Amino acid sequence: MGISSGPKPFLTVGVLFILLSPATGFSAPGRPRVINCRSPEKETFTCWWEPGDDGGLPTTYALYYRLEGSETIYECPDYKTAGENSCFFSKNDTSLWVDYNISVVASNDMGKSVSEPVEVDVVYIVQPNTPESVMVSVLEDNHGPYLRVDWEKPQSADTRSGWITLVYQLRVKQAKDETWEEYDAGMQKYYNVFSPHSGKEYMVQVRCKPDHGFWSEWTTPVYIQMPDYMPKVRSMWIMVAVISAFLILLFAWTMNVKQNSVKHCLLPPVPGPKIQGFDQQLLKNGKSEEMFNALVIPGFPPTSTYEDLLVEYLEVYDDEKRELVLNEKNLIEGSMKSKSTSSDNDSGRGSCDSRTLLMEKCVDESGTEQELSQYGEASWASSDSEGRDNPASPGLEDGKVQMWPSVFSSPQSHNFQQQHPGGLRASHHSVPEISCVSPQVQTCCGQQDQLEGFQFSKPGLYRYAQMYSMDTIECKHVAQEPQSQSQSQSQSAEYVEVQTVNQENVLLVTPLSNPEGPNPELSDFSGEDYSKVRDVTSDNVLLLQRDLSVSQFVGDYCQDQIGQVDPCFLQQQQQEQTCKLNAHLHHPASALQEDMRLAGNGYVDTTMMMS
Amino acid sequence: MYSVLQGCLGLLFCSIHGLLGSALDCPDRDAGGTRCSISVEKLLDRAIQHAELIYRVSEEARTLFEQMFIPFSFHAQQSHGGHLCTSNIFPIPTSKSEVQQISDKWLLHSVLILIQFWIDPLVELQASLDRYDNAPSDLLNKTKWMSTKLMNLEQGVLVLIRKMLEEGSLELHNNESVTPYLLPTDMVEHVLRDYAMLSCFKKDAHKMETFLKFLKCRQTNRPSCSIL
């Protein structure tokens, strides 16, 4: 029913109805509600309402509206077009930028009820229809396939004239996924979706919205199946990986085959030390003596060159004079046993088997036939007497002692004989390293070639050496020494007389040539060329002293002091030269000490250069 | 011949200049500039952007005001006051068919009238809002901004009129007579009045925007204006 008059009389009637029909089981209809009003193209609009309780009676609904600024009430022109419970406003009935006051009235026999009024301005309720003709296709480009989505605007929207401006939005998801990916397409009607996964099925939907309005509904989903493909980049990388794996395998196999040569190339073997005669096995066996003996070169030190030189240092012994006793016994044993017999054989002189004995004996030797057997078990001496260069001299019981003979080999070769009497001699003087404590005793210090093989490996030797040094050691450097009487016998010889052995195991000797007797002071002894054995270290190294000056030395000596001792220099091979007097070198002791270098195995490094 | 050549060169340069979009060189307000100019299309685009922005800000301002000062129950009673905004003052098309029937010239003039109508009321509104105790600064800023932008838009539309219609501007200086017409005298409460003003301004801003967009499509003469 349509009511064209104002609502007031209508309401009155409604109230009357309600009041007049109380208990019939029917009631006035419940209040309807305007749900919403929408305009799809900003030209028409539609309003929908929701009916309330109908109260058991057939109820009719009517929509009334009023325009802004006017009191005229109009009823809905079209209840049909938009469907049930709706009102459609056509273009003629639609005014823009004007507020509509809309309300719905439900009425039945029992009464009426009016809905809440709704203010509507058409331009603000625009919600377009969904886009149309959504099409999805798979296209290819350089980077692979991609999705292209095309659509059309909703037909009702007039974007051509600019009346409505629409913006679009689409969303994509894989068919099995749950979350959508939304993209804003602006005002264009197509969109590219890149990097889809191969072999998957995708769903696409599109919607639109006016510049000021509501979003439309989503279109029905469009399904698209992505073909299977391999990205070019990935296939390239796979190929690269395969080839490189193959190459690596090839390389590894080659390396394995040529293992040794590769190892040789990358890690060249470190050349080991090559010492002639050096046998590692011997060293490993733990017998150093054997090894060191093995190192002895038969022809070393060269003795031939010294022969001439040493000739002058030959000493002829006389039975009456001090006789050097060369004991064949092994010094190393440290026992000065009575090997004097052997030594006697060698030297022809009496030998002192013990130190003490030696001392006693040798205290006064003038005229004694017995020679000072300082040598004790100077097996080396005996071996020297043989005059052989063969380091393995007979009677040597210990390999170590073998060194000695080599030391003396050259000079003694003619000097020493097995037999003594003529004197043993040169053997001592061929102990150049042994420094003479006594100034009178001259030792050749640094007879390099002969010292080379010199080695004291046992304390016994040490003692021996000490004693020996004191005794008639022939020193090569005879030139400087005051030519004492001994020189009359030989140029280098100067014989001393052992006087005492002090605490430090130093033989104190006096030159026999000195008529004064055991006078330690011998000023005329320059002793420059000779060095004294200062000490033998635990490493079996002979430390030689070097006298700064004879007198000084003598003085020190007299006082029974070791005094400042200048270690002797040991010269290394100076083939042409005789053993220089270390004493000549007025080097400070400390320097000498420093300069003294010890080679391994107890050898004194004779590489020091003397000025 | 020489003058023709000169004219052609000048035109060429100007068109190139215009194509390059040297918008900075020729602001909308540059009424005196004759050497270089912006194309009508670009001017329209700018005007449309202005109008869009003004509308958005007015919408936000109105919503803000509504939340702050208008109780919910009042929403339904707005129309009772019957504020008509500008619809009653001068004929403004209210439907698409009406707009389509209006010529370009009249459309532009309509826009201009709307703009000029609102310049002063906005200032008043701003002053009124300042008197509030707890007006949010955001609202005040928006109102200020709208007032400024409206004036800029006026300038742009004047240029447009000059360019498109090649006539002088039609200035409307009788604002004072309009304002009381707009505001119903029985609306004593400042709040309601201000709210009504904001609502009306929002509507009129939308109108401006719609007209300008419509006008642009007509101007481009493209078969489909939806290529915007």
Side-chain angles (χ1 to χ4, degrees):
Chain A
M1 47 183 177
I3 297 179
S4 53
S5 59
K8 279 185 186 169
F10 179 72
L11 280 170
T12 315
V13 170
V15 166
L16 264 167
F17 265 111
I18 289 166
L19 290 173
L20 290 176
S21 58
T24 54
F26 301 124
S27 62
R31 229 174 156 179
R33 187 173 71 90
V34 178
I35 302 169
N36 63 350
C37 298
R38 285 288 180 263
S39 169
E41 75 288 83
K42 212 155 66 172
E43 297 170 44
T44 67
F45 71 104
T46 312
C47 280
W48 293 270
W49 68 84
E50 181 190 49
D53 179 32
D54 62 352
L57 292 168
T59 312
T60 56
Y61 297 91
L63 186 142
Y64 299 99
Y65 68 93
R66 188 171 58 85
L67 287 175
E68 167 189 2
S70 158
E71 294 294 328
T72 315
I73 296 184
Y74 302 92
E75 190 178 351
C76 172
D78 188 341
Y79 287 104
K80 305 265 188 325
T81 311
E84 190 82 17
N85 293 331
S86 69
C87 176
F88 176 76
F89 292 82
S90 64
K91 284 184 190 181
N92 298 331
D93 300 321
T94 307
S95 298
L96 296 166
W97 298 295
V98 174
D99 284 342
Y100 281 73
N101 190 316
I102 295 169
S103 55
V104 175
V105 174
S107 61
N108 61 6
D109 294 335
M110 295 298 294
K112 291 179 191 318
S113 60
V114 184
S115 68
E116 290 270 348
V118 170
E119 284 270 343
V120 167
D121 192 338
V122 179
V123 293
Y124 299 143
I125 56 164
V126 180
Q127 185 182 23
N129 295 326
T130 63
E132 295 169 8
S133 306
V134 180
M135 290 185 299
V136 185
S137 54
V138 180
L139 298 181
E140 283 257 355
D141 72 345
N142 297 334
H143 305 286
Y146 63 95
L147 290 173
R148 183 180 167 102
V149 187
D150 292 285
W151 60 87
E152 292 295 328
K153 69 168 179 67
Q155 276 186 346
S156 56
D158 179 18
T159 56
R160 180 170 296 195
S161 64
W163 186 243
I164 275 189
T165 313
L166 291 174
V167 290
Y168 299 96
Q169 196 181 62
L170 79 154
R171 65 179 187 182
V172 181
K173 81 171 169 82
Q174 290 186 28
K176 293 174 188 154
D177 276 359
E178 287 182 5
T179 53
W180 290 90
E181 272 183 38
E182 291 187 355
Y183 304 100
D184 284 315
M187 288 188 244
Q188 63 194 24
K189 297 198 186 64
Y190 65 93
Y191 199 79
N192 295 326
V193 180
F194 292 104
S195 302
H197 298 145
S198 66
K200 302 280 182 178
E201 191 182 21
Y202 282 91
M203 291 166 58
V204 180
Q205 285 184 313
V206 187
R207 67 175 183 181
C208 58
K209 176 177 98 79
D211 43 8
H212 308 290
F214 301 96
W215 281 106
S216 71
E217 298 293 332
W218 289 104
T219 59
T220 54
V222 177
Y223 293 88
I224 180 85
Q225 176 73 37
M226 282 296 301
D228 292 321
Y229 74 99
M230 173 75 75
K232 280 185 203 166
V233 174
R234 198 186 296 177
S235 64
M236 182 189 77
W237 280 114
I238 286 171
M239 201 181 317
V240 166
V242 165
I243 288 174
S244 56
F246 176 71
L247 283 173
I248 287 169
L249 278 173
L250 193 69
F251 185 65
W253 180 76
T254 312
M255 292 283 278
N256 192 32
V257 167
K258 305 267 179 176
Q259 210 173 19
N260 290 331
S261 61
V262 167
K263 219 190 282 182
H264 199 67
C265 178
L266 286 177
L267 306 168
V270 177
K274 297 238 165 147
I275 302 175
Q276 197 177 357
F278 192 85
D279 190 359
Q280 279 191 337
Q281 278 303 319
L282 285 177
L283 186 63
K284 284 176 191 171
N285 293 341
K287 296 196 175 175
S288 51
E289 299 89 353
E290 288 171 1
M291 191 193 60
F292 294 141
N293 288 335
L295 283 173
V296 173
I297 301 169
F300 185 82
T303 58
S304 56
T305 55
Y306 287 93
E307 279 184 316
D308 297 343
L309 291 170
L310 291 172
V311 167
E312 40 187 313
Y313 296 105
L314 286 182
E315 180 182 359
V316 176
Y317 277 91
D318 199 75
D319 283 336
E320 301 155 350
K321 296 283 187 166
R322 46 264 167 213
E323 292 175 359
L324 298 173
V325 175
L326 299 176
N327 198 334
E328 282 190 9
K329 286 305 181 207
N330 190 356
L331 269 178
I332 296 161
E333 297 168 1
S335 60
M336 298 197 186
K337 299 180 212 143
S338 60
K339 301 185 173 114
S340 52
T341 54
S342 58
S343 63
D344 283 316
N345 293 335
D346 290 339
S347 60
R349 293 174 286 175
S351 62
C352 305
D353 289 344
S354 64
R355 274 173 47 197
T356 54
L357 178 60
L358 176 63
M359 296 306 114
E360 294 164 7
K361 268 189 169 183
C362 303
V363 166
D364 182 14
E365 44 201 82
S366 56
T368 56
E369 291 195 0
Q370 284 293 358
E371 289 300 355
L372 304 167
S373 61
Q374 305 93 329
Y375 313 114
E377 300 77 7
S379 55
W380 55 268
S382 62
S383 62
D384 284 339
S385 66
E386 292 173 1
R388 283 175 298 183
D389 296 348
N390 181 357
S393 31
L396 287 178
E397 296 172 13
D398 195 44
K400 294 176 196 164
V401 189
Q402 290 177 3
M403 302 319 303
W404 293 57
S406 64
V407 173
F408 304 101
S409 56
S410 68
Q412 292 82 28
S413 54
H414 11 276
N415 298 343
F416 291 114
Q417 286 93 25
Q418 294 277 1
Q419 313 68 13
H420 45 295
L424 245 186
R425 44 338 183 150
S427 60
H428 1 285
H429 87 81
S430 67
V431 183
E433 303 160 69
I434 302 175
S435 60
C436 309
V437 176
S438 155
Q440 295 148 352
V441 178
Q442 299 174 355
T443 58
C444 292
C445 242
Q447 189 173 19
Q448 55 285 11
D449 48 357
Q450 303 199 345
L451 287 171
E452 209 67 31
F454 212 83
Q455 176 186 12
F456 295 85
S457 54
K458 285 232 176 138
L461 274 176
Y462 157 78
R463 288 198 304 265
Y464 181 87
Q466 293 260 331
M467 295 182 291
Y468 179 76
S469 64
M470 279 181 269
D471 201 28
T472 57
I473 298 173
E474 292 183 24
C475 297
K476 290 193 232 171
H477 306 292
V478 130
Q480 289 87 355
E481 72 180 72
Q483 304 301 324
S484 55
Q485 302 141 13
S486 61
Q487 291 204 346
S488 61
Q489 302 171 5
S490 66
Q491 294 180 6
S492 60
E494 173 121 26
Y495 296 95
V496 300
E497 189 178 82
V498 177
Q499 298 203 332
T500 58
V501 177
N502 63 5
Q503 291 302 325
E504 286 84 5
N505 293 335
V506 175
L507 275 175
L508 306 177
V509 300
T510 57
L512 294 174
S513 57
N514 192 348
E516 302 165 6
N519 189 350
E521 298 175 353
L522 194 63
S523 55
D524 57 353
F525 179 74
S526 67
E528 291 177 354
D529 288 332
Y530 297 93
S531 58
K532 298 192 280 194
V533 175
R534 158 87 177 96
D535 198 0
V536 175
T537 65
S538 58
D539 294 337
N540 296 328
V541 173
L542 202 59
L543 290 179
L544 300 180
Q545 296 178 357
R546 191 179 36 133
D547 311 335
L548 283 176
S549 63
V550 175
S551 57
Q552 183 183 13
F553 198 100
V554 170
D556 290 340
Y557 171 77
C558 274
Q559 291 155 12
D560 199 66
Q561 298 170 5
I562 298 300
Q564 90 283 0
V565 286
D566 300 329
C568 274
F569 280 111
L570 299 177
Q571 273 184 347
Q572 202 163 18
Q573 319 242 343
Q574 295 182 2
Q575 292 83 356
E576 314 301 327
Q577 305 170 4
T578 62
C579 158
K580 300 262 177 174
L581 281 176
N582 291 335
H584 277 302
L585 299 174
H586 298 281
H587 290 215
S590 60
L592 285 179
Q593 283 287 359
E594 290 165 6
D595 293 338
M596 188 84 102
R597 273 184 262 161
L598 307 177
N601 305 327
Y603 288 102
V604 181
D605 187 5
T606 57
T607 52
M608 305 315 303
M609 300 310 300
M610 295 168 41
S611 62
Chain B
M1 160 91 172
Y2 186 71
S3 60
V4 169
L5 184 65
Q6 206 173 15
C8 282
L9 278 173
L11 196 66
L12 184 68
F13 283 135
C14 276
S15 60
I16 289 171
H17 212 98
L19 285 170
L20 291 174
S22 56
L24 295 171
D25 299 338
C26 306
D28 284 347
R29 300 183 209 176
D30 183 18
T34 51
R35 274 188 306 157
C36 73
S37 60
I38 310 177
S39 68
V40 171
E41 200 172 321
K42 282 210 177 1
L43 265 177
L44 261 175
D45 279 337
R46 280 211 190 170
I48 288 168
Q49 283 168 14
H50 271 74
E52 271 181 343
L53 270 172
I54 289 168
Y55 172 75
R56 281 217 181 92
V57 172
S58 70
E59 187 178 23
E60 289 169 11
R62 182 180 175 270
T63 310
L64 208 62
F65 190 91
E66 193 177 48
Q67 288 168 356
M68 283 287 296
F69 302 109
I70 305 295
F72 188 74
S73 59
F74 261 75
H75 291 177
Q77 296 174 15
Q78 282 174 31
S79 59
H80 286 292
H83 57 292
L84 296 172
C85 300
T86 58
S87 303
N88 290 348
I89 301 168
F90 30 77
I92 296 286
T94 56
S95 72
K96 178 189 167 188
S97 51
E98 289 177 25
V99 174
Q100 275 176 329
Q101 290 162 12
I102 297 176
S103 64
D104 292 353
K105 175 180 173 178
W106 191 236
L107 262 178
L108 260 178
H109 277 286
S110 304
V111 172
L112 188 62
I113 287 166
L114 280 169
I115 291 167
Q116 286 173 338
F117 176 80
W118 275 105
I119 288 179
D120 287 335
L122 272 181
V123 174
E124 271 186 37
L125 177 65
Q126 194 177 340
S128 174
L129 285 174
D130 283 336
R131 282 184 241 118
Y132 282 35
D133 291 336
N134 53 344
S137 61
D138 199 15
L139 181 63
L140 294 171
N141 291 341
K142 280 184 172 35
T143 319
K144 261 185 216 145
W145 185 90
M146 283 191 297
S147 184
T148 313
K149 277 297 170 205
L150 199 64
M151 285 191 265
N152 292 344
L153 186 59
E154 186 197 9
Q155 294 295 325
V157 170
L158 284 170
V159 171
L160 264 172
I161 285 170
R162 198 165 43 241
K163 278 182 160 316
M164 284 169 61
L165 308 178
E166 290 160 4
E167 63 182 51
S169 64
L170 179 65
E171 298 270 350
L172 195 67
H173 293 288
N174 51 351
N175 292 338
E176 291 150 19
S177 62
V178 175
T179 313
Y181 209 88
L182 168 67
L183 304 171
T185 52
D186 58 346
M187 237 187 201
V188 181
E189 295 196 28
H190 290 255
V191 172
L192 280 174
R193 191 189 68 186
D194 291 339
Y195 184 63
M197 270 184 85
L198 277 170
S199 304
C200 276
F201 179 69
K202 178 187 167 188
K203 257 187 216 190
D204 286 347
H206 194 268
K207 280 182 203 168
M208 291 176 220
E209 186 189 335
T210 307
F211 291 162
L212 285 169
K213 281 182 180 173
F214 199 79
L215 192 64
K216 182 183 168 153
C217 261
R218 276 205 202 160
Q219 283 295 312
T220 54
N221 289 330
R222 287 185 209 159
S224 165
C225 212
S226 56
I227 300 180
L228 284 171

Coordinates of all heavy atoms in Angstrom, one line a residue, chain A residues 4-36:
Chain A
S4 N 1.0 8.3 0.5 CA 1.6 9.5 0.0 C 1.6 10.6 1.0 O 2.4 11.6 0.9 CB 0.9 10.0 -1.3 OG -0.5 10.1 -1.0
S5 N 0.8 10.5 2.0 CA 0.8 11.6 3.0 C 2.0 11.4 4.0 O 2.7 10.5 3.9 CB -0.5 11.5 3.8 OG -0.7 10.3 4.4
G6 N 2.0 12.3 4.9 CA 3.1 12.2 5.8 C 3.0 11.1 6.7 O 2.0 10.4 6.8
P7 N 4.0 10.9 7.4 CA 4.0 9.7 8.3 C 3.1 9.8 9.5 O 2.8 8.8 10.2 CB 5.5 9.6 8.7 CG 6.0 10.9 8.5 CD 5.2 11.6 7.5
K8 N 2.7 11.0 9.9 CA 2.0 11.2 11.1 C 0.7 10.5 11.2 O 0.4 9.7 12.1 CB 1.8 12.7 11.4 CG 3.0 13.3 12.0 CD 2.8 14.7 12.4 CE 4.2 15.3 12.9 NZ 4.1 16.8 13.0
P9 N -0.2 10.7 10.2 CA -1.5 10.0 10.3 C -1.3 8.4 10.3 O -1.9 7.7 10.9 CB -2.3 10.4 9.1 CG -1.3 11.1 8.3 CD -0.2 11.6 9.1
F10 N -0.3 8.1 9.5 CA 0.0 6.7 9.4 C 0.4 6.1 10.8 O 0.0 5.0 11.1 CB 1.1 6.5 8.4 CG 1.5 5.0 8.2 CD1 0.6 4.2 7.5 CD2 2.7 4.6 8.6 CE1 0.9 2.9 7.3 CE2 3.0 3.3 8.5 CZ 2.1 2.4 7.8
L11 N 1.2 6.8 11.4 CA 1.7 6.3 12.7 C 0.5 6.2 13.7 O 0.4 5.3 14.5 CB 2.7 7.3 13.2 CG 4.1 7.1 12.7 CD1 5.0 8.2 13.1 CD2 4.7 5.7 13.1
T12 N -0.3 7.2 13.6 CA -1.5 7.2 14.5 C -2.3 5.9 14.3 O -2.8 5.2 15.2 CB -2.4 8.4 14.3 OG1 -1.5 9.5 14.2 CG2 -3.4 8.6 15.4
V13 N -2.5 5.6 13.0 CA -3.3 4.4 12.7 C -2.6 3.2 13.2 O -3.2 2.3 13.7 CB -3.5 4.4 11.1 CG1 -4.1 3.0 10.7 CG2 -4.4 5.5 10.7
G14 N -1.3 3.2 13.0 CA -0.6 2.1 13.4 C -0.7 1.8 14.9 O -0.9 0.7 15.4
V15 N -0.6 2.9 15.6 CA -0.7 2.8 17.1 C -2.1 2.3 17.5 O -2.3 1.5 18.4 CB -0.4 4.2 17.7 CG1 -0.8 4.2 19.2 CG2 1.1 4.5 17.6
L16 N -3.1 2.9 16.8 CA -4.4 2.4 17.1 C -4.6 0.9 16.8 O -5.1 0.2 17.7 CB -5.4 3.1 16.1 CG -6.1 4.4 16.7 CD1 -6.7 5.2 15.7 CD2 -7.1 4.0 17.8
F17 N -4.0 0.5 15.8 CA -4.1 -0.9 15.4 C -3.4 -1.8 16.6 O -4.0 -2.8 17.0 CB -3.4 -1.2 14.1 CG -4.4 -1.3 13.0 CD1 -4.3 -0.3 12.0 CD2 -5.3 -2.3 12.8 CE1 -5.2 -0.3 10.9 CE2 -6.2 -2.3 11.8 CZ -6.1 -1.3 10.8
I18 N -2.3 -1.3 16.9 CA -1.6 -2.1 18.0 C -2.4 -2.1 19.3 O -2.5 -3.1 19.9 CB -0.2 -1.4 18.2 CG1 0.7 -1.7 17.0 CG2 0.4 -2.0 19.5 CD1 1.9 -0.9 17.0
L19 N -2.9 -1.0 19.6 CA -3.7 -0.9 20.8 C -5.0 -1.7 20.8 O -5.4 -2.3 21.7 CB -4.0 0.5 21.1 CG -2.8 1.4 21.5 CD1 -3.2 2.8 21.7 CD2 -2.2 0.9 22.8
L20 N -5.5 -1.8 19.6 CA -6.8 -2.4 19.5 C -6.8 -3.9 19.3 O -7.7 -4.6 19.4 CB -7.6 -1.8 18.3 CG -8.1 -0.4 18.5 CD1 -8.7 0.2 17.2 CD2 -9.0 -0.3 19.6
S21 N -5.6 -4.4 19.0 CA -5.5 -5.9 18.8 C -4.6 -6.5 19.8 O -3.4 -6.7 19.4 CB -5.1 -6.2 17.4 OG -3.9 -5.5 17.1
P22 N -5.0 -6.6 21.0 CA -4.0 -7.1 21.9 C -3.8 -8.6 21.9 O -2.7 -9.0 21.6 CB -4.6 -6.7 23.3 CG -6.1 -6.5 23.0 CD -6.3 -6.3 21.6
A23 N -4.7 -9.3 22.2 CA -4.4 -10.7 22.5 C -4.9 -11.7 21.5 O -5.6 -12.7 21.8 CB -5.0 -11.1 23.9
T24 N -4.6 -11.4 20.3 CA -5.0 -12.3 19.2 C -3.9 -13.3 18.8 O -4.1 -14.1 17.9 CB -5.5 -11.5 18.0 OG1 -4.4 -10.7 17.6 CG2 -6.7 -10.8 18.3
G25 N -2.8 -13.1 19.4 CA -1.7 -14.0 19.0 C -0.9 -13.4 17.9 O 0.1 -13.8 17.5
F26 N -1.5 -12.4 17.4 CA -0.7 -11.7 16.3 C -0.3 -10.4 16.9 O -0.8 -9.8 17.8 CB -1.6 -11.5 15.1 CG -2.2 -12.7 14.6 CD1 -3.6 -12.9 14.4 CD2 -1.4 -13.8 14.2 CE1 -4.1 -14.1 13.9 CE2 -1.9 -14.9 13.7 CZ -3.3 -15.1 13.6
S27 N 0.7 -9.9 16.3 CA 1.2 -8.6 16.7 C 1.7 -7.8 15.5 O 1.8 -8.3 14.4 CB 2.3 -8.8 17.7 OG 3.4 -9.4 17.1
A28 N 1.9 -6.6 15.8 CA 2.4 -5.8 14.8 C 3.8 -6.3 14.4 O 4.5 -7.0 15.1 CB 2.5 -4.4 15.3
P29 N 4.1 -6.0 13.2 CA 5.4 -6.5 12.7 C 6.6 -5.9 13.5 O 6.5 -4.8 14.0 CB 5.5 -6.2 11.2 CG 4.5 -5.0 11.1 CD 3.5 -5.2 12.2
G30 N 7.6 -6.7 13.5 CA 8.8 -6.2 14.1 C 9.4 -5.1 13.2 O 9.0 -4.9 12.1
R31 N 10.4 -4.5 13.8 CA 11.0 -3.3 13.1 C 11.9 -3.8 12.0 O 12.8 -4.6 12.3 CB 11.8 -2.5 14.1 CG 11.4 -1.1 14.0 CD 12.1 -0.3 15.0 NE 12.3 1.1 14.6 CZ 12.8 2.0 15.3 NH1 13.3 1.8 16.4 NH2 12.9 3.2 14.8
P32 N 11.7 -3.4 10.8 CA 12.7 -3.8 9.8 C 13.9 -2.9 9.9 O 14.0 -2.0 10.6 CB 11.9 -3.5 8.5 CG 10.9 -2.4 8.8 CD 10.6 -2.6 10.3
R33 N 14.9 -3.3 9.1 CA 16.1 -2.6 9.2 C 16.7 -2.4 7.8 O 16.7 -3.4 7.0 CB 17.1 -3.4 10.0 CG 18.4 -2.7 10.3 CD 19.2 -3.6 11.3 NE 19.7 -4.8 10.7 CZ 20.9 -4.9 10.0 NH1 21.7 -3.8 10.0 NH2 21.2 -6.0 9.5
V34 N 17.1 -1.2 7.5 CA 17.8 -1.0 6.2 C 19.2 -1.5 6.3 O 20.0 -1.0 7.1 CB 17.7 0.5 5.9 CG1 18.4 0.7 4.5 CG2 16.3 1.0 5.8
I35 N 19.5 -2.4 5.4 CA 20.8 -3.0 5.5 C 21.8 -2.1 4.9 O 22.8 -1.7 5.6 CB 20.8 -4.4 4.8 CG1 19.8 -5.3 5.4 CG2 22.2 -5.0 4.8 CD1 19.6 -6.6 4.6
N36 N 21.7 -1.9 3.6 CA 22.6 -0.9 3.0 C 22.0 -0.5 1.7 O 21.1 -1.0 1.2 CB 24.0 -1.5 2.8 CG 24.0 -2.7 1.8 OD1 22.9 -3.2 1.5 ND2 25.1 -3.2 1.5

